[in-house]
Amino acid sequence: TTQEGSTWQEFFVELEVDRRAAVLTGQKQLWVAAERLPQLKTIFPAATLAPAITAPESVARTPWTFEDALVEIIRGRLEGLGPVSIDQVVSQSGLEKLAIETALLRLEAEGFVIRGRFTPDATETEWCARRLLARIHSYTLNRLRQEIEPVSSADFIRFLLAWQKVAPDHQMEGPESVR
């Protein structure tokens, strides 16, 4: 739910009315943007579309192989998902695990994705778009930096004088002061 109280469903309905999105029904029900329609029809040739929409001419001309279409669909998903496991992608898409793994390995070879364990409680390997992971890392560092409050100059000087044993109440004498 957004701040205004609208839900994602309301945004999708607006896109449906404009014939820019539809529901693709196959093994799973998927929301489809018109721009991704040629790729998804290649991946799910037997799926039905409601309402019937067409892809913009600029993307409709490109012929797709199953592998290339899947790589592009996975690329699009990873740009917005954050760290995700192969099993999560399989359950969301209804595709075979081997096909998803192959697509992820191609994206890794391109340098688009990184694999690892990015969430603290992760038990299996996760995949994340490299740029998205860099943004997450940057936001995390900025948040951590904001949690640290600098001290005033006067407090810092008092600390330094006490630490160096120059302040009157911290001065030492005798053999202890040499150490």
Side-chain angles (χ1 to χ4, degrees):
T1 305
T2 63
Q3 289 178 346
E4 296 83 28
S6 299
T7 63
W8 287 108
Q9 185 68 38
E10 292 170 358
F11 293 130
F12 181 73
V13 168
E14 185 178 329
L15 291 171
E16 256 184 334
V17 168
D18 292 343
R19 295 284 192 227
R20 294 179 51 211
V23 176
L24 185 81
T25 305
Q27 298 162 343
K28 294 257 183 190
Q29 279 198 339
L30 304 172
W31 288 0
V32 177
E35 294 80 12
R36 294 290 189 182
L37 194 56
Q39 296 150 343
L40 287 162
K41 281 187 173 183
T42 302
I43 296 169
F44 303 106
T48 59
L49 201 60
I53 60 172
T54 57
E57 276 199 39
S58 59
V59 295
R61 295 184 202 135
T62 309
W64 291 95
T65 64
F66 176 84
E67 293 80 15
D68 291 340
L70 184 58
V71 166
E72 289 308 308
I73 292 298
I74 298 296
R75 182 190 314 271
R77 291 289 294 152
L78 291 178
E79 285 178 333
L81 279 180
V84 63
S85 70
I86 289 177
D87 290 337
Q88 288 171 315
V89 177
V90 168
S91 71
Q92 292 169 357
S93 67
L95 294 168
E96 293 180 17
K97 188 173 184 174
L98 181 60
I100 299 293
E101 280 178 339
T102 304
L104 287 169
L105 289 172
R106 278 186 56 187
L107 289 169
E108 183 181 39
E110 289 178 15
F112 180 79
V113 296
I114 296 177
R115 67 172 133 174
R117 291 199 173 123
F118 306 114
T119 53
D121 57 345
T123 57
E124 56 186 296
T125 302
E126 296 174 307
W127 298 77
C128 189
R130 183 180 296 269
R131 286 189 303 166
L132 183 58
L133 190 61
R135 277 183 38 209
I136 292 169
H137 181 69
S138 173
Y139 292 152
T140 302
L141 287 178
N142 290 339
R143 183 182 47 80
L144 291 173
R145 285 184 183 125
Q146 289 175 351
E147 291 176 4
I148 300 170
E149 291 185 34
V151 296
S152 69
S153 297
D155 288 339
F156 183 59
I157 295 297
R158 270 194 296 281
F159 162 75
L160 286 177
L161 293 175
W163 186 50
Q164 296 291 331
K165 308 294 184 199
V166 178
D169 52 336
H170 289 89
Q171 288 180 349
M172 301 177 77
E173 295 182 9
E176 283 293 314
S177 64
V178 176
R179 193 169 33 104

